[in-house]
Structure formats: structure tokens, C-alpha cells
Amino acid sequence: MNEKGCIKCGSTDAGQKDVAMTGTGLSKMFDIQNNQFTVVYCRRCGYSEFYNKEASAGSNILDFFFGG
């Protein structure tokens, strides 16, 4: 079986958002959001995966989410 879809429910309806998060230590204390991620999520069941924005730049992260 080579069908792609959410690993939890099989849906192919996905969305993505860019988010920033604080780290630990001083960056957390001063609310410095220096960690950039792209979140890919299933619109049906809400399953989500985070991808480092720097590492995933230039690649299609929806293909990773769907097991491509």
C-alpha cells in the first residue's frame, strides 16, 4: 500500500503554519523567540508535526508529513 495521508487518520487535508518559540535559560527569561518551526497539521484529527524551519527550507514538508 503506497497511499499517502495522515498517519493517524489517513486524511490528505493538511495545513501548515510558521511558529516561533523560546528556548531555555536567558532566551526564555527575556522571551526571545529564536527557534523557528513550521508546523504541519491534519485538519481532520489535529495530528501535528514540527519541522525546524532552517532544516526544512527548500524542501516540501507536506511530503514529509504524508510519508513521501
Side-chain angles (χ1 to χ4, degrees), residues 16-20 36-41 51 53 56 61:
Q16 69 183 54
K17 294 181 181 181
D18 292 331
V19 296
Q36 303 284 322
F37 296 92
T38 298
V39 181
V40 179
Y41 60 93
Y51 295 90
K53 196 165 181 179
S56 63
I61 58 172

Side-chain angles (χ1 to χ4, degrees), residues 6-66:
C6 172
I7 64 171
K8 297 290 183 180
C9 73
S11 173
T12 56
D13 188 12
Q16 69 183 54
K17 294 181 181 181
D18 292 331
V19 296
M21 299 179 191
T22 61
T24 59
L26 290 177
S27 66
K28 185 174 185 177
M29 190 166 110
F30 292 109
D31 196 27
I32 300 170
Q33 298 180 341
N34 60 345
N35 298 305
Q36 303 284 322
F37 296 92
T38 298
V39 181
V40 179
Y41 60 93
C42 174
R43 293 183 195 270
R44 183 175 9 166
C45 73
Y47 175 76
S48 303
E49 292 183 355
F50 287 77
Y51 295 90
N52 184 316
K53 196 165 181 179
E54 291 178 16
S56 63
S59 61
N60 188 346
I61 58 172
L62 286 175
D63 284 343
F64 290 127
F65 184 78
F66 289 132

